Amino acid sequence: MKYIFISIIVLGSLSLIQCSNPLLTKPETPFGVPAFDKIKPSHFKPAFRKEIKTQQVIIKKILDNKTKPTFKNTVAPLENSFIKIRNLKGIFYTIAGTKSSKSMRKISKDISLMLTKNMDNIRLNNKLFKKIEHVYVHRKVLSLKKEQSRLTSVIYYDLKRNGANLNKKQKSELKTINKKIVSLKLQFRNNLLGDTKNFTLILDKKNQIMGLPESAVANAAERAKKKGKSGKWIFTLDSTSFWPFIQNAKNRNLRKKIFLAYKNRGNNKNKFNNTKVISQLISLRLKKAQLLGYKNFAEFKTSQEMSKTPEAVISFLNNLLQLSKK
């Protein structure tokens, strides 16, 4: 009786958490737009955990199915299992990219590692790959529609190029590399953001703001006021401040100053320097590419793109350069 009572309390608590989490309930907004005004950073981890758990249940059902793999019982449910997670990622990265905060940055690493681990478990699942491969190989026999055949091919090649055929030791190494890459990419973004916030251009003469639209001047004045510098103007490297200044300011030297600050974010001698991070990323990406059978990361990256090869990208850019000079 005691354990039944505890179970009821736990289940009730979980239901309450789900109901109070706007990411786990259908938003009562026009066109189903996320209720951004109600979403808090603390809502994301429980939401991702729930949707990943739901996806794992779906994939287990696919794997446990004893009948021959088909588009309907294998490819379609696998693809559909990503829908809610993709939606969550869209919301998360939209807020993280436009309304960054300490709490959002704090959970970013946990969520990024959670998503990477989940994708590795899917892409490196040999049993799942064999089922997808069966549908891919027999796609003509199965009389798949054009869209179904295309989706099957995309999923098959995604699994294949991301390590589905590696042996156990190689898969373990790849998981370690992917985990390190995710952490470094997050560190890179945080350093970039840190250096962006680290710069301010304080102006106190009207001739320094000549050419700027009224809205940009008003925003800069408000920014200065909040910093206790009333009567002055503060410009930052945030897009809403940087771009109006770089595009409209008459003072060439000030434009140069703010442009160089923007260009050198993460490349200054401070705690936000990204030099070592970039070096480690390049090294890990090379290891990953070679482990997956590619010469380098550029070859791996372009293999599924329209260009297909790094050489084609370089050729395209060189051609574009020549055309731009005419």
Side-chain angles (χ1 to χ4, degrees):
M1 188 72 181
K2 176 183 177 182
Y3 296 109
I4 295 174
F5 180 69
I6 293 173
S7 297
I8 292 172
I9 292 175
V10 171
L11 290 173
S13 299
L14 289 173
S15 299
L16 184 62
I17 289 171
Q18 183 168 336
C19 291
S20 62
N21 190 332
L23 293 170
L24 294 174
T25 55
K26 188 175 180 180
E28 297 178 1
T29 55
F31 309 106
V33 175
F36 287 103
D37 59 324
K38 297 179 181 179
I39 297 171
K40 298 177 182 178
S42 59
H43 290 143
F44 282 104
K45 286 172 74 171
F48 274 112
R49 285 197 193 100
K50 179 186 177 298
E51 298 306 346
I52 287 174
K53 186 67 177 177
T54 300
Q55 183 182 46
Q56 290 171 346
V57 171
I58 293 171
I59 291 174
K60 187 178 186 304
K61 187 177 179 181
I62 295 172
L63 296 176
D64 290 345
N65 194 327
K66 302 299 181 183
T67 60
K68 285 187 177 181
T70 63
F71 181 87
K72 186 177 181 180
N73 68 23
T74 303
V75 179
L78 176 61
E79 174 64 15
N80 291 336
S81 74
F82 282 100
I83 293 174
K84 289 187 177 180
I85 293 177
R86 287 184 188 132
N87 289 340
L88 266 180
K89 285 172 67 177
I91 297 169
F92 176 73
Y93 288 115
T94 295
I95 294 176
T98 58
K99 195 178 179 182
S100 180
S101 63
K102 286 184 179 180
S103 51
M104 281 296 287
R105 291 194 293 274
K106 188 176 180 180
I107 65 171
S108 288
K109 184 175 182 178
D110 290 340
I111 289 175
S112 296
L113 290 173
M114 192 190 306
L115 291 171
T116 300
K117 182 180 179 180
N118 184 53
M119 280 307 301
D120 280 346
N121 288 338
I122 294 171
R123 285 172 166 166
L124 302 179
N125 188 312
N126 190 60
K127 189 176 179 180
L128 180 63
F129 176 66
K130 291 300 179 184
K131 282 179 173 284
I132 295 293
E133 186 177 44
H134 178 88
V135 181
Y136 172 76
V137 171
H138 297 89
R139 61 193 184 282
K140 291 184 179 179
V141 178
L142 292 169
S143 300
L144 299 187
K145 294 179 182 178
K146 186 177 179 180
E147 295 82 359
Q148 294 175 332
S149 181
R150 170 61 180 163
L151 178 59
T152 301
S153 298
V154 168
I155 294 176
Y156 169 73
Y157 282 111
D158 178 75
L159 297 177
K160 187 177 180 180
R161 74 188 288 267
N162 280 286
N165 282 326
L166 297 178
N167 60 42
K168 189 175 181 180
K169 182 180 178 181
Q170 290 171 324
K171 287 180 179 179
S172 178
E173 184 181 355
L174 181 60
K175 286 182 179 180
T176 300
I177 290 172
N178 284 340
K179 186 177 180 180
K180 289 180 180 178
I181 286 176
V182 167
S183 295
L184 286 169
K185 286 171 68 175
L186 188 62
Q187 187 179 343
F188 180 93
R189 288 196 295 268
N190 286 339
N191 283 344
L192 194 65
L193 179 62
D195 234 4
T196 299
K197 300 296 183 185
N198 199 40
F199 175 88
T200 53
L201 179 64
I202 304 173
L203 305 180
D204 55 7
K205 297 181 178 62
K206 284 193 175 181
N207 63 351
Q208 294 175 316
I209 58 172
M210 286 179 61
L212 293 174
E214 291 182 10
S215 58
V217 174
N219 288 337
E222 181 64 25
R223 210 175 286 119
K225 185 179 180 181
K226 288 181 180 179
K227 294 288 184 179
K229 297 183 181 295
S230 296
K232 298 183 180 181
W233 301 273
I234 289 181
F235 294 90
T236 69
L237 299 181
D238 290 325
S239 295
T240 53
S241 178
F242 171 78
W243 287 110
F245 193 93
I246 203 74
Q247 291 171 346
N248 299 286
K250 297 292 185 183
N251 192 309
R252 179 182 173 85
N253 289 331
L254 290 176
R255 289 204 317 273
K256 180 180 179 181
K257 183 176 181 179
I258 199 170
F259 171 75
L260 289 177
Y262 186 85
K263 180 183 176 183
N264 286 303
R265 290 173 301 161
N267 190 35
N268 299 297
K269 294 180 180 180
N270 57 23
K271 62 181 180 180
F272 305 119
N273 190 285
N274 266 327
T275 304
K276 289 184 179 179
V277 177
I278 293 172
S279 178
Q280 291 171 354
L281 267 175
I282 291 172
S283 177
L284 286 169
R285 282 176 168 178
L286 177 60
K287 285 182 180 179
K288 175 177 178 174
Q290 292 177 339
L291 185 62
L292 293 170
Y294 296 87
K295 292 179 182 178
N296 50 57
F297 188 75
E299 189 179 276
F300 166 75
K301 191 68 177 177
T302 56
S303 63
Q304 288 292 90
E305 302 296 331
M306 183 177 68
S307 56
K308 300 300 180 185
T309 66
E311 292 76 18
V313 174
I314 298 300
S315 176
F316 174 81
L317 292 175
N318 285 335
N319 185 48
L320 187 64
L321 176 63
Q322 296 306 316
L323 290 172
S324 68
K325 292 180 178 179
K326 291 182 179 182

